[in-house]
Amino acid sequence: MQKFQADTPGVTKSEIDTPALLIDIEAMEDNLERMADFFRGSEVRLRPHFKTHKTPIIAHKQIAAGAKGITCQKLGEAEVLVGAGIADILIASQIVGSQKISRLAGLAHHAHLVVAVDQADNVRELSQAVSAAGSSLRVVVEVDVGFERCGVLPGEAAVSLAELVSQSPGLEFAGLMGYEGHAVFVTDRQSREQAVGEALARLVRTAELVRQAGLAVDIVSAGATGTYDMVGRFPGVNEIQAGSYVLMDTRYREVGVGFRCALTVLATVISLPAPGRAVIDAGKKTVSADFGLPTVISPDGLRLVRLSEEHGILEVDRQAEALRVGDRVELIPSHVCTTVNQNDRFYALRRGHLEAVWPIAARGKSQ
Amino acid sequence: MQKFQADTPGVTKSEIDTPALLIDIEAMEDNLERMADFFRGSEVRLRPHFKTHKTPIIAHKQIAAGAKGITCQKLGEAEVLVGAGIADILIASQIVGSQKISRLAGLAHHAHLVVAVDQADNVRELSQAVSAAGSSLRVVVEVDVGFERCGVLPGEAAVSLAELVSQSPGLEFAGLMGYEGHAVFVTDRQSREQAVGEALARLVRTAELVRQAGLAVDIVSAGATGTYDMVGRFPGVNEIQAGSYVLMDTRYREVGVGFRCALTVLATVISLPAPGRAVIDAGKKTVSADFGLPTVISPDGLRLVRLSEEHGILEVDRQAEALRVGDRVELIPSHVCTTVNQNDRFYALRRGHLEAVWPIAARGKSQ
């Protein structure tokens, strides 16, 4: 019997109980540095997306590496960030309904919040709420640059909404955001660059129209890990919302994004029931499959072929014939964000030794 | 501005903040009753699977409705159950590794645990651990009845492992389990019944061989929500592991299972950016899509067509032209188990009024 605690710093990777999300700290630091290099000397600033890791200490590291602030999607995520001492936050989604708007107006007393809008009634409700609360909010107008999710159409619709924001008590018009989600995973880099260019032209042209209407446009925000370098060089955009770069996954690796895969899932072989088949203790409830099955990186000779809720079923080739029940298997997720959101903590390792356990504090903060 | 707390009992469905998992208590009670009816007067007993709801109060209701005990998949789930006063637990999976085996041996002092095995070394480790801890364990041998996940082959391999268990200090051989996972979702009921029959014949024949070897076989466990009635009538099986029946989902409804869909997801329209398109605040991180997209049940005229991480994108037909930002949308998940595992609480309603908020205490207990 082992006598150590599995979460005591210093234990080796193989001593951590499973399933577990591991972060290779050096790979993560390389990613932070690589991204910082890109923005060094540029007027464009990174505002990384919290949805990927939902973990305040990683957000603090991103800011220490030069990020302007943090982007998040949910009000509950913003509350976790503010509680962790991070004040400069873009909520890149519409906050709707009187309960959430009240929470937002209260939170605005404790942070520098920017929130996205795409609808006039929502602007009026935000204005009323901050007026009642005695707080204030900065607001960006979300423009649909071709992803066909949220956002007003580029052009006059966006200008009108920007004007309404600027005239609303308690609100400050801060600029525009767009998300070129339809371009992010275009495999061919040249095609991706073209799709990004078309999307951003809509955003930047709209920013010009807003300026022509007499409003200052402080923020023009877009971008993701698959497009940050294209967006970051596009004249007129000045904030990037990339998230996945810090931990990465196979989906982004497949489209040629050069960051290191710092996140892995550690699992244990719990059954070798038949020749050529192994079963591990990590299933869909640990590692997501919405972007495809995760990829085994060690040991050699294993291939994941199926995920049940709590089991992963692997094909074992001759190379892995020595595999035993109890052996560890390490995988890279296909989608970091949906994997992280199912787990309570990261096990952060440096050179194979546990350095820290980080609670995923905003996990499940969907409200 | 609303003045109520969104989680105060008595508020109406439309006042609950979103996204939220709702339970229709009466539908759930009907499901408990319908399942209890099936087992009334039978020697076969239900031991419902905790993986579906991960919520102790629902497990207690299942026991109050006649269930013999609870099935779970993970040791961490068993720990939550024991902490909630539920002592009769089948862990329907292999517990591997010295850390987990130590936890299991300790937990066995506080509950009546049955654990699945499919491998001789694991049996030896379990025996050593309970001997060291001064506790004891009941053990079922898992037989692969055709699902090709875990389990020894039917027949002699299972008999040998059963004999090893029976000879191991601190362990009591309790019986066999098999999971006919390959049959559970066979759409055509007759084909499903045939697949179930073939699978269970392997299990029951193996139980006979074990008895012929001189061992008592107390438990012969199998079954799921899609097969409980077939398995429950199959001579020689005496425990059923169905889980989803209590809350249900569209995947089981599609194969003709008659329980009521008691679980829904409540969401809010956060954007109506273009004619024919609405966006809600529930995405993949709230409601799973591993068994297909969830189904909108209200209002009429909406169809979910895409899920991002935190957004659901809907097609809006003429019937729903009056839809407004802030309106509530209610959906039935395609897969209850993976949906529940992403959320922290259930909002339990009776006739449209909130009755209780139930923490999903074993959410994410993957270790």
Side-chain angles (χ1 to χ4, degrees), chain A residues 2-3 25 47 50-51 64 70 90 102 105 110-111 123 132 140 176 213 219 231 233 287 290 339 348 357 362-363:
Chain A
Q2 293 165 312
K3 298 300 177 194
I25 296 176
R47 186 190 283 280
F50 189 55
K51 76 187 178 81
I70 299 293
L90 166 62
S102 290
H110 305 278
V123 171
V140 288
L176 303 179
I219 294 172
V231 180
R233 292 190 186 98
V287 56
D290 56 321
T339 294
V357 178
R363 192 221 68 73

Side-chain angles (χ1 to χ4, degrees), chain B residues 189-249:
Chain B
R189 194 178 155 88
Q190 205 174 338
S191 308
R192 186 153 85 246
E193 197 139 9
Q194 186 176 340
V196 167
E198 288 165 9
L200 296 185
R202 296 179 188 118
L203 186 64
V204 169
R205 172 79 187 126
T206 302
E208 281 310 309
L209 291 174
V210 174
R211 288 192 183 99
Q212 286 168 20
L215 298 178
V217 181
D218 180 27
I219 295 172
V220 180
S221 173
T225 292
T227 58
Y228 77 98
D229 51 346
M230 306 165 188
V231 180
R233 292 190 186 100
F234 196 93
V237 178
N238 62 14
E239 277 199 20
I240 307 294
Q241 300 182 13
S244 299
Y245 76 95
V246 67
L247 297 178
M248 276 291 286
D249 56 32

